[in-house]
mmCIF file of all heavy atoms in Angstrom:
data_model
loop_
_atom_site.group_PDB
_atom_site.id
_atom_site.type_symbol
_atom_site.label_atom_id
_atom_site.label_comp_id
_atom_site.label_asym_id
_atom_site.label_seq_id
_atom_site.Cartn_x
_atom_site.Cartn_y
_atom_site.Cartn_z
ATOM 1 N N ASN V 9 71.983 108.409 120.994
ATOM 2 C CA ASN V 9 73.057 107.350 120.918
ATOM 3 C C ASN V 9 72.898 106.528 119.699
ATOM 4 O O ASN V 9 73.845 106.325 118.922
ATOM 5 C CB ASN V 9 72.989 106.506 122.190
ATOM 6 C CG ASN V 9 74.060 105.485 122.141
ATOM 7 O OD1 ASN V 9 75.357 105.858 122.045
ATOM 8 N ND2 ASN V 9 73.713 104.182 122.426
ATOM 9 N N ARG V 10 71.663 106.158 119.322
ATOM 10 C CA ARG V 10 71.457 105.342 118.153
ATOM 11 C C ARG V 10 71.808 106.026 116.897
ATOM 12 O O ARG V 10 72.331 105.489 115.933
ATOM 13 C CB ARG V 10 69.997 104.770 118.271
ATOM 14 C CG ARG V 10 69.788 103.783 117.101
ATOM 15 C CD ARG V 10 68.430 103.024 117.503
ATOM 16 N NE ARG V 10 67.921 102.339 116.383
ATOM 17 C CZ ARG V 10 66.709 101.833 116.346
ATOM 18 N NH1 ARG V 10 65.962 101.823 117.402
ATOM 19 N NH2 ARG V 10 66.242 101.180 115.235
ATOM 20 N N VAL V 11 71.266 107.324 116.776
ATOM 21 C CA VAL V 11 71.518 108.023 115.531
ATOM 22 C C VAL V 11 73.070 108.367 115.300
ATOM 23 O O VAL V 11 73.473 108.545 114.160
ATOM 24 C CB VAL V 11 70.658 109.329 115.494
ATOM 25 C CG1 VAL V 11 71.234 110.535 116.245
ATOM 26 C CG2 VAL V 11 70.388 109.760 113.953
ATOM 27 N N SER V 12 73.763 108.508 116.343
ATOM 28 C CA SER V 12 75.245 108.584 116.244
ATOM 29 C C SER V 12 75.918 107.252 115.877
ATOM 30 O O SER V 12 77.163 107.327 115.499
ATOM 31 C CB SER V 12 75.797 109.304 117.446
ATOM 32 O OG SER V 12 75.699 108.384 118.642
ATOM 33 N N LEU V 13 75.263 106.189 115.998
ATOM 34 C CA LEU V 13 75.956 104.895 115.706
ATOM 35 C C LEU V 13 75.330 104.296 114.384
ATOM 36 O O LEU V 13 75.979 103.275 113.956
ATOM 37 C CB LEU V 13 75.716 103.931 116.894
ATOM 38 C CG LEU V 13 76.349 104.335 118.182
ATOM 39 C CD1 LEU V 13 75.824 103.393 119.272
ATOM 40 C CD2 LEU V 13 77.830 104.221 118.083
ATOM 41 N N SER V 14 74.284 104.808 113.936
ATOM 42 C CA SER V 14 73.732 104.241 112.644
ATOM 43 C C SER V 14 73.326 105.288 111.668
ATOM 44 O O SER V 14 73.309 106.465 112.065
ATOM 45 C CB SER V 14 72.458 103.358 112.960
ATOM 46 O OG SER V 14 71.387 104.279 113.434
ATOM 47 N N GLN V 15 73.118 104.999 110.461
ATOM 48 C CA GLN V 15 72.724 105.973 109.476
ATOM 49 C C GLN V 15 71.650 105.358 108.526
ATOM 50 O O GLN V 15 71.786 104.219 108.159
ATOM 51 C CB GLN V 15 73.913 106.514 108.572
ATOM 52 C CG GLN V 15 75.341 106.557 109.324
ATOM 53 C CD GLN V 15 76.013 105.224 109.353
ATOM 54 O OE1 GLN V 15 75.790 104.361 108.535
ATOM 55 N NE2 GLN V 15 76.874 105.053 110.364
ATOM 56 N N VAL V 16 70.649 106.067 108.181
ATOM 57 C CA VAL V 16 69.659 105.719 107.253
ATOM 58 C C VAL V 16 68.609 104.747 107.957
ATOM 59 O O VAL V 16 67.437 104.727 107.650
ATOM 60 C CB VAL V 16 70.173 105.116 105.959
ATOM 61 C CG1 VAL V 16 69.063 104.607 105.092
ATOM 62 C CG2 VAL V 16 70.972 106.331 105.192
ATOM 63 N N GLN V 17 69.168 103.771 108.760
ATOM 64 C CA GLN V 17 68.186 102.650 109.206
ATOM 65 C C GLN V 17 67.019 103.201 109.997
ATOM 66 O O GLN V 17 65.939 102.698 109.798
ATOM 67 C CB GLN V 17 69.026 101.722 110.146
ATOM 68 C CG GLN V 17 68.274 100.402 110.530
ATOM 69 C CD GLN V 17 67.334 100.596 111.805
ATOM 70 O OE1 GLN V 17 67.438 101.464 112.557
ATOM 71 N NE2 GLN V 17 66.250 99.758 111.719
ATOM 72 N N LEU V 18 67.158 104.391 110.609
ATOM 73 C CA LEU V 18 66.075 104.969 111.298
ATOM 74 C C LEU V 18 64.946 105.549 110.390
ATOM 75 O O LEU V 18 63.883 105.829 110.825
ATOM 76 C CB LEU V 18 66.502 106.103 112.277
ATOM 77 C CG LEU V 18 67.118 105.674 113.569
ATOM 78 C CD1 LEU V 18 67.805 106.858 114.309
ATOM 79 C CD2 LEU V 18 66.067 104.980 114.533
ATOM 80 N N CYS V 19 65.293 105.665 109.087
ATOM 81 C CA CYS V 19 64.355 106.078 108.034
ATOM 82 C C CYS V 19 63.441 104.881 107.557
ATOM 83 O O CYS V 19 62.380 105.146 106.985
ATOM 84 C CB CYS V 19 65.039 106.541 106.796
ATOM 85 S SG CYS V 19 66.038 108.001 107.180
ATOM 86 N N SER V 20 63.856 103.684 107.885
ATOM 87 C CA SER V 20 63.236 102.549 107.252
ATOM 88 C C SER V 20 61.683 102.473 107.761
ATOM 89 O O SER V 20 60.826 101.953 107.051
ATOM 90 C CB SER V 20 63.883 101.244 107.550
ATOM 91 O OG SER V 20 64.182 101.093 108.963
ATOM 92 N N TYR V 21 61.516 102.762 109.032
ATOM 93 C CA TYR V 21 60.139 102.531 109.683
ATOM 94 C C TYR V 21 59.085 103.447 108.882
ATOM 95 O O TYR V 21 58.074 102.861 108.522
ATOM 96 C CB TYR V 21 60.267 103.072 111.115
ATOM 97 C CG TYR V 21 61.241 102.287 112.013
ATOM 98 C CD1 TYR V 21 62.629 102.864 112.017
ATOM 99 C CD2 TYR V 21 60.960 101.170 112.747
ATOM 100 C CE1 TYR V 21 63.551 102.171 112.693
ATOM 101 C CE2 TYR V 21 61.919 100.533 113.465
ATOM 102 C CZ TYR V 21 63.239 101.031 113.440
ATOM 103 O OH TYR V 21 64.291 100.400 114.153
ATOM 104 N N PHE V 22 59.338 104.697 108.979
ATOM 105 C CA PHE V 22 58.288 105.620 108.338
ATOM 106 C C PHE V 22 58.217 105.448 106.854
ATOM 107 O O PHE V 22 57.073 105.373 106.285
ATOM 108 C CB PHE V 22 58.662 107.124 108.681
ATOM 109 C CG PHE V 22 57.707 108.046 108.179
ATOM 110 C CD1 PHE V 22 56.542 108.341 108.805
ATOM 111 C CD2 PHE V 22 57.897 108.763 107.000
ATOM 112 C CE1 PHE V 22 55.523 109.184 108.326
ATOM 113 C CE2 PHE V 22 56.969 109.674 106.436
ATOM 114 C CZ PHE V 22 55.768 109.897 107.127
ATOM 115 N N THR V 23 59.310 105.266 106.143
ATOM 116 C CA THR V 23 59.252 105.105 104.683
ATOM 117 C C THR V 23 58.513 103.868 104.299
ATOM 118 O O THR V 23 57.566 103.805 103.416
ATOM 119 C CB THR V 23 60.677 105.027 104.089
ATOM 120 O OG1 THR V 23 61.419 106.062 104.615
ATOM 121 C CG2 THR V 23 60.642 105.137 102.556
ATOM 122 N N GLY V 24 58.798 102.683 104.932
ATOM 123 C CA GLY V 24 58.217 101.422 104.613
ATOM 124 C C GLY V 24 56.690 101.428 104.956
ATOM 125 O O GLY V 24 55.833 100.977 104.179
ATOM 126 N N TYR V 25 56.457 101.999 106.143
ATOM 127 C CA TYR V 25 55.027 102.212 106.561
ATOM 128 C C TYR V 25 54.205 102.913 105.646
ATOM 129 O O TYR V 25 53.057 102.586 105.256
ATOM 130 C CB TYR V 25 54.980 102.702 107.942
ATOM 131 C CG TYR V 25 53.757 103.511 108.429
ATOM 132 C CD1 TYR V 25 52.606 102.781 108.701
ATOM 133 C CD2 TYR V 25 53.748 104.919 108.465
ATOM 134 C CE1 TYR V 25 51.446 103.474 109.120
ATOM 135 C CE2 TYR V 25 52.627 105.626 108.852
ATOM 136 C CZ TYR V 25 51.532 104.931 109.285
ATOM 137 O OH TYR V 25 50.410 105.618 109.564
ATOM 138 N N THR V 26 54.689 104.146 105.207
ATOM 139 C CA THR V 26 54.002 105.004 104.319
ATOM 140 C C THR V 26 53.721 104.265 103.033
ATOM 141 O O THR V 26 52.529 104.356 102.535
ATOM 142 C CB THR V 26 54.849 106.246 103.962
ATOM 143 O OG1 THR V 26 55.090 106.885 105.279
ATOM 144 C CG2 THR V 26 54.226 107.147 103.093
ATOM 145 N N GLU V 27 54.677 103.553 102.541
ATOM 146 C CA GLU V 27 54.375 102.897 101.232
ATOM 147 C C GLU V 27 53.448 101.702 101.269
ATOM 148 O O GLU V 27 52.683 101.498 100.358
ATOM 149 C CB GLU V 27 55.749 102.406 100.556
ATOM 150 C CG GLU V 27 56.660 103.497 100.187
ATOM 151 C CD GLU V 27 57.862 103.143 99.353
ATOM 152 O OE1 GLU V 27 58.776 102.453 99.883
ATOM 153 O OE2 GLU V 27 57.852 103.435 98.165
ATOM 154 N N ILE V 28 53.427 100.974 102.454
ATOM 155 C CA ILE V 28 52.533 99.841 102.643
ATOM 156 C C ILE V 28 51.104 100.427 102.735
ATOM 157 O O ILE V 28 50.163 99.810 102.177
ATOM 158 C CB ILE V 28 52.950 98.999 103.823
ATOM 159 C CG1 ILE V 28 54.235 98.289 103.561
ATOM 160 C CG2 ILE V 28 51.846 97.934 104.099
ATOM 161 C CD1 ILE V 28 54.915 97.581 104.825
ATOM 162 N N TYR V 29 51.025 101.398 103.543
ATOM 163 C CA TYR V 29 49.676 102.024 103.831
ATOM 164 C C TYR V 29 49.052 102.554 102.574
ATOM 165 O O TYR V 29 47.939 102.358 102.310
ATOM 166 C CB TYR V 29 49.762 103.056 104.923
ATOM 167 C CG TYR V 29 48.400 103.616 105.368
ATOM 168 C CD1 TYR V 29 47.582 102.967 106.192
ATOM 169 C CD2 TYR V 29 47.995 104.896 104.822
ATOM 170 C CE1 TYR V 29 46.360 103.513 106.525
ATOM 171 C CE2 TYR V 29 46.873 105.425 105.198
ATOM 172 C CZ TYR V 29 45.961 104.704 106.058
ATOM 173 O OH TYR V 29 44.734 105.240 106.415
ATOM 174 N N GLU V 30 49.907 103.169 101.788
ATOM 175 C CA GLU V 30 49.416 103.820 100.552
ATOM 176 C C GLU V 30 48.926 102.682 99.527
ATOM 177 O O GLU V 30 47.965 102.874 98.830
ATOM 178 C CB GLU V 30 50.558 104.617 99.888
ATOM 179 C CG GLU V 30 50.691 106.014 100.634
ATOM 180 C CD GLU V 30 51.836 106.862 100.099
ATOM 181 O OE1 GLU V 30 52.699 106.415 99.381
ATOM 182 O OE2 GLU V 30 52.012 108.070 100.631
ATOM 183 N N LEU V 31 49.693 101.566 99.560
ATOM 184 C CA LEU V 31 49.408 100.539 98.629
ATOM 185 C C LEU V 31 48.012 99.886 99.091
ATOM 186 O O LEU V 31 47.111 99.690 98.262
ATOM 187 C CB LEU V 31 50.382 99.431 98.703
ATOM 188 C CG LEU V 31 50.096 98.119 98.027
ATOM 189 C CD1 LEU V 31 49.826 98.319 96.483
ATOM 190 C CD2 LEU V 31 51.233 97.065 98.203
ATOM 191 N N ARG V 32 47.878 99.698 100.349
ATOM 192 C CA ARG V 32 46.578 99.177 100.835
ATOM 193 C C ARG V 32 45.443 100.066 100.505
ATOM 194 O O ARG V 32 44.309 99.546 100.023
ATOM 195 C CB ARG V 32 46.650 98.948 102.366
ATOM 196 C CG ARG V 32 45.345 98.122 102.906
ATOM 197 C CD ARG V 32 45.364 98.160 104.387
ATOM 198 N NE ARG V 32 44.768 99.539 104.875
ATOM 199 C CZ ARG V 32 44.629 99.812 106.157
ATOM 200 N NH1 ARG V 32 44.754 98.847 107.097
ATOM 201 N NH2 ARG V 32 44.081 100.949 106.498
ATOM 202 N N GLU V 33 45.559 101.355 100.813
ATOM 203 C CA GLU V 33 44.483 102.237 100.476
ATOM 204 C C GLU V 33 44.184 102.319 99.006
ATOM 205 O O GLU V 33 42.999 102.456 98.597
ATOM 206 C CB GLU V 33 44.858 103.676 101.030
ATOM 207 C CG GLU V 33 44.980 103.694 102.601
ATOM 208 C CD GLU V 33 43.676 103.131 103.248
ATOM 209 O OE1 GLU V 33 42.670 103.852 103.173
ATOM 210 O OE2 GLU V 33 43.732 102.161 103.857
ATOM 211 N N GLN V 34 45.201 102.243 98.115
ATOM 212 C CA GLN V 34 44.977 102.220 96.628
ATOM 213 C C GLN V 34 44.118 101.037 96.260
ATOM 214 O O GLN V 34 43.139 101.143 95.453
ATOM 215 C CB GLN V 34 46.339 102.207 95.953
ATOM 216 C CG GLN V 34 46.206 102.165 94.425
ATOM 217 C CD GLN V 34 47.610 101.937 93.741
ATOM 218 O OE1 GLN V 34 48.682 102.322 94.328
ATOM 219 N NE2 GLN V 34 47.601 101.268 92.665
ATOM 220 N N LEU V 35 44.486 99.817 96.865
ATOM 221 C CA LEU V 35 43.831 98.620 96.482
ATOM 222 C C LEU V 35 42.368 98.556 97.025
ATOM 223 O O LEU V 35 41.538 98.070 96.430
ATOM 224 C CB LEU V 35 44.586 97.396 96.919
ATOM 225 C CG LEU V 35 45.864 97.196 96.305
ATOM 226 C CD1 LEU V 35 46.597 95.926 96.831
ATOM 227 C CD2 LEU V 35 45.734 96.888 94.733
ATOM 228 N N LYS V 36 42.201 99.209 98.221
ATOM 229 C CA LYS V 36 40.879 99.242 98.750
ATOM 230 C C LYS V 36 39.912 100.068 97.900
ATOM 231 O O LYS V 36 38.739 99.772 97.715
ATOM 232 C CB LYS V 36 40.872 99.897 100.104
ATOM 233 C CG LYS V 36 41.050 98.910 101.325
ATOM 234 C CD LYS V 36 41.447 99.683 102.644
ATOM 235 C CE LYS V 36 40.197 100.052 103.342
ATOM 236 N NZ LYS V 36 40.594 100.678 104.731
ATOM 237 N N LYS V 37 40.517 101.177 97.444
ATOM 238 C CA LYS V 37 39.730 102.140 96.463
ATOM 239 C C LYS V 37 39.485 101.404 95.260
ATOM 240 O O LYS V 37 38.228 101.485 94.728
ATOM 241 C CB LYS V 37 40.654 103.320 96.285
ATOM 242 C CG LYS V 37 39.906 104.487 95.756
ATOM 243 C CD LYS V 37 40.770 105.717 95.713
ATOM 244 C CE LYS V 37 40.129 106.882 95.022
ATOM 245 N NZ LYS V 37 41.065 108.017 94.776
ATOM 246 N N GLU V 38 40.416 100.651 94.716
ATOM 247 C CA GLU V 38 40.162 100.024 93.382
ATOM 248 C C GLU V 38 39.230 98.855 93.501
ATOM 249 O O GLU V 38 38.424 98.551 92.577
ATOM 250 C CB GLU V 38 41.480 99.544 92.810
ATOM 251 C CG GLU V 38 42.364 100.665 92.289
ATOM 252 C CD GLU V 38 43.745 100.299 91.959
ATOM 253 O OE1 GLU V 38 44.093 99.077 91.890
ATOM 254 O OE2 GLU V 38 44.659 101.124 91.629
ATOM 255 N N GLN V 39 39.369 98.048 94.552
ATOM 256 C CA GLN V 39 38.558 96.825 94.690
ATOM 257 C C GLN V 39 37.151 97.015 95.324
ATOM 258 O O GLN V 39 36.287 96.133 95.256
ATOM 259 C CB GLN V 39 39.376 95.747 95.477
ATOM 260 C CG GLN V 39 40.578 95.354 94.712
ATOM 261 C CD GLN V 39 41.563 94.443 95.594
ATOM 262 O OE1 GLN V 39 41.173 93.971 96.662
ATOM 263 N NE2 GLN V 39 42.663 94.245 95.082
ATOM 264 N N GLY V 40 37.040 98.119 96.048
ATOM 265 C CA GLY V 40 35.764 98.480 96.741
ATOM 266 C C GLY V 40 35.321 97.320 97.652
ATOM 267 O O GLY V 40 36.076 96.863 98.468
ATOM 268 N N ALA V 41 34.089 96.846 97.424
ATOM 269 C CA ALA V 41 33.491 95.885 98.413
ATOM 270 C C ALA V 41 34.177 94.511 98.357
ATOM 271 O O ALA V 41 34.067 93.795 99.297
ATOM 272 C CB ALA V 41 31.862 95.685 98.053
ATOM 273 N N THR V 42 34.908 94.262 97.234
ATOM 274 C CA THR V 42 35.565 92.921 97.151
ATOM 275 C C THR V 42 36.923 92.852 97.913
ATOM 276 O O THR V 42 37.508 91.815 98.103
ATOM 277 C CB THR V 42 35.773 92.539 95.720
ATOM 278 O OG1 THR V 42 36.735 93.527 95.114
ATOM 279 C CG2 THR V 42 34.483 92.491 94.874
ATOM 280 N N PHE V 43 37.337 94.099 98.458
ATOM 281 C CA PHE V 43 38.689 94.031 99.170
ATOM 282 C C PHE V 43 38.569 93.183 100.434
ATOM 283 O O PHE V 43 37.686 93.400 101.267
ATOM 284 C CB PHE V 43 39.034 95.470 99.422
ATOM 285 C CG PHE V 43 40.306 95.538 100.246
ATOM 286 C CD1 PHE V 43 41.585 95.503 99.575
ATOM 287 C CD2 PHE V 43 40.439 95.662 101.599
ATOM 288 C CE1 PHE V 43 42.793 95.568 100.249
ATOM 289 C CE2 PHE V 43 41.580 95.760 102.273
ATOM 290 C CZ PHE V 43 42.720 95.696 101.628
ATOM 291 N N ASN V 44 39.547 92.275 100.641
ATOM 292 C CA ASN V 44 39.589 91.473 101.786
ATOM 293 C C ASN V 44 40.921 91.716 102.495
ATOM 294 O O ASN V 44 41.965 91.472 101.921
ATOM 295 C CB ASN V 44 39.460 89.981 101.336
ATOM 296 C CG ASN V 44 39.510 89.054 102.551
ATOM 297 O OD1 ASN V 44 40.525 88.886 103.140
ATOM 298 N ND2 ASN V 44 38.331 88.525 102.941
ATOM 299 N N LEU V 45 40.836 92.229 103.735
ATOM 300 C CA LEU V 45 42.099 92.520 104.528
ATOM 301 C C LEU V 45 43.040 91.356 104.697
ATOM 302 O O LEU V 45 44.263 91.448 104.463
ATOM 303 C CB LEU V 45 41.666 93.112 105.815
ATOM 304 C CG LEU V 45 42.835 93.830 106.669
ATOM 305 C CD1 LEU V 45 43.419 95.023 105.828
ATOM 306 C CD2 LEU V 45 42.331 94.358 107.949
ATOM 307 N N LYS V 46 42.519 90.197 105.050
ATOM 308 C CA LYS V 46 43.303 89.065 105.346
ATOM 309 C C LYS V 46 43.989 88.615 104.046
ATOM 310 O O LYS V 46 45.289 88.357 104.110
ATOM 311 C CB LYS V 46 42.403 87.845 105.814
ATOM 312 C CG LYS V 46 43.319 86.620 106.209
ATOM 313 C CD LYS V 46 42.433 85.507 106.678
ATOM 314 C CE LYS V 46 43.325 84.325 107.082
ATOM 315 N NZ LYS V 46 42.463 83.175 107.533
ATOM 316 N N LYS V 47 43.296 88.594 102.954
ATOM 317 C CA LYS V 47 43.918 88.304 101.695
ATOM 318 C C LYS V 47 45.012 89.207 101.300
ATOM 319 O O LYS V 47 46.038 88.814 100.742
ATOM 320 C CB LYS V 47 42.871 88.173 100.459
ATOM 321 C CG LYS V 47 42.033 86.904 100.484
ATOM 322 C CD LYS V 47 41.127 86.924 99.263
ATOM 323 C CE LYS V 47 40.234 85.734 99.281
ATOM 324 N NZ LYS V 47 39.106 85.902 98.216
ATOM 325 N N PHE V 48 44.807 90.478 101.482
ATOM 326 C CA PHE V 48 45.788 91.511 101.299
ATOM 327 C C PHE V 48 47.035 91.256 102.071
ATOM 328 O O PHE V 48 48.189 91.257 101.580
ATOM 329 C CB PHE V 48 45.325 92.977 101.547
ATOM 330 C CG PHE V 48 46.427 93.985 101.563
ATOM 331 C CD1 PHE V 48 46.869 94.451 100.332
ATOM 332 C CD2 PHE V 48 46.888 94.465 102.801
ATOM 333 C CE1 PHE V 48 47.870 95.485 100.408
ATOM 334 C CE2 PHE V 48 47.865 95.396 102.745
ATOM 335 C CZ PHE V 48 48.399 95.905 101.575
ATOM 336 N N HIS V 49 46.915 91.035 103.343
ATOM 337 C CA HIS V 49 48.038 90.794 104.228
ATOM 338 C C HIS V 49 48.838 89.461 103.835
ATOM 339 O O HIS V 49 50.013 89.510 103.659
ATOM 340 C CB HIS V 49 47.589 90.501 105.652
ATOM 341 C CG HIS V 49 47.048 91.797 106.284
ATOM 342 N ND1 HIS V 49 46.151 91.726 107.328
ATOM 343 C CD2 HIS V 49 47.319 93.072 106.070
ATOM 344 C CE1 HIS V 49 45.877 93.018 107.707
ATOM 345 N NE2 HIS V 49 46.541 93.847 106.902
ATOM 346 N N GLU V 50 48.111 88.512 103.523
ATOM 347 C CA GLU V 50 48.842 87.222 103.184
ATOM 348 C C GLU V 50 49.429 87.232 101.754
ATOM 349 O O GLU V 50 50.608 86.685 101.632
ATOM 350 C CB GLU V 50 47.910 86.003 103.355
ATOM 351 C CG GLU V 50 47.438 85.740 104.789
ATOM 352 C CD GLU V 50 46.500 84.593 105.060
ATOM 353 O OE1 GLU V 50 45.990 83.953 104.029
ATOM 354 O OE2 GLU V 50 46.322 84.163 106.186
ATOM 355 N N LYS V 51 48.838 87.942 100.958
ATOM 356 C CA LYS V 51 49.431 88.152 99.521
ATOM 357 C C LYS V 51 50.666 88.953 99.656
ATOM 358 O O LYS V 51 51.723 88.753 99.079
ATOM 359 C CB LYS V 51 48.465 88.753 98.601
ATOM 360 C CG LYS V 51 48.873 88.793 97.214
ATOM 361 C CD LYS V 51 48.784 87.352 96.622
ATOM 362 C CE LYS V 51 49.427 87.238 95.209
ATOM 363 N NZ LYS V 51 49.802 85.924 94.842
ATOM 364 N N PHE V 52 50.588 90.051 100.395
ATOM 365 C CA PHE V 52 51.673 91.058 100.565
ATOM 366 C C PHE V 52 52.894 90.331 101.178
ATOM 367 O O PHE V 52 53.949 90.531 100.720
ATOM 368 C CB PHE V 52 51.186 92.218 101.491
ATOM 369 C CG PHE V 52 52.240 93.278 101.673
ATOM 370 C CD1 PHE V 52 52.571 94.240 100.700
ATOM 371 C CD2 PHE V 52 53.159 93.186 102.781
ATOM 372 C CE1 PHE V 52 53.606 95.193 100.885
ATOM 373 C CE2 PHE V 52 54.106 94.105 102.944
ATOM 374 C CZ PHE V 52 54.373 95.083 101.944
ATOM 375 N N LEU V 53 52.632 89.539 102.210
ATOM 376 C CA LEU V 53 53.766 88.915 102.891
ATOM 377 C C LEU V 53 54.342 87.640 102.175
ATOM 378 O O LEU V 53 55.303 87.159 102.513
ATOM 379 C CB LEU V 53 53.238 88.406 104.261
ATOM 380 C CG LEU V 53 52.883 89.440 105.279
ATOM 381 C CD1 LEU V 53 52.342 88.883 106.615
ATOM 382 C CD2 LEU V 53 54.022 90.426 105.544
ATOM 383 N N SER V 54 53.626 87.173 101.185
ATOM 384 C CA SER V 54 54.064 86.008 100.394
ATOM 385 C C SER V 54 55.299 86.268 99.514
ATOM 386 O O SER V 54 55.929 85.329 99.039
ATOM 387 C CB SER V 54 52.960 85.483 99.520
ATOM 388 O OG SER V 54 52.722 86.358 98.379
ATOM 389 N N TYR V 55 55.700 87.544 99.354
ATOM 390 C CA TYR V 55 56.761 87.823 98.444
ATOM 391 C C TYR V 55 58.136 87.835 99.094
ATOM 392 O O TYR V 55 59.138 88.277 98.647
ATOM 393 C CB TYR V 55 56.519 89.166 97.794
ATOM 394 C CG TYR V 55 55.343 89.250 96.806
ATOM 395 C CD1 TYR V 55 54.047 89.707 97.334
ATOM 396 C CD2 TYR V 55 55.414 88.703 95.572
ATOM 397 C CE1 TYR V 55 53.014 89.733 96.440
ATOM 398 C CE2 TYR V 55 54.303 88.702 94.683
ATOM 399 C CZ TYR V 55 53.135 89.169 95.161
ATOM 400 O OH TYR V 55 52.020 89.205 94.381
#
């Protein structure tokens, strides 16, 4: 019912999640032991 009433919106979940997860993993790799999950979350959400 939903896919027949909307278009593209159902793509937003997987696409956004994939890009956020990939960004976090990239920064974890680059920052190593200094990576802080809380700081990542609050910085990401600040924009």
Side-chain angles (χ1 to χ4, degrees):
N9 182 50
R10 187 164 162 190
V11 79
S12 63
L13 294 170
S14 68
Q15 324 83 25
V16 175
Q17 193 275 335
L18 283 168
C19 296
S20 53
Y21 306 84
F22 182 78
T23 312
Y25 153 75
T26 300
E27 293 194 289
I28 294 169
Y29 184 78
E30 286 174 353
L31 171 61
R32 188 192 76 177
E33 294 307 290
Q34 179 189 329
L35 293 178
K36 269 170 86 172
K37 198 173 171 186
E38 287 172 8
Q39 294 173 12
T42 62
F43 178 83
N44 180 290
L45 190 61
K46 184 182 186 181
K47 278 185 185 167
F48 168 75
H49 291 155
E50 293 181 350
K51 189 71 188 164
F52 180 84
L53 294 177
S54 72
Y55 297 98

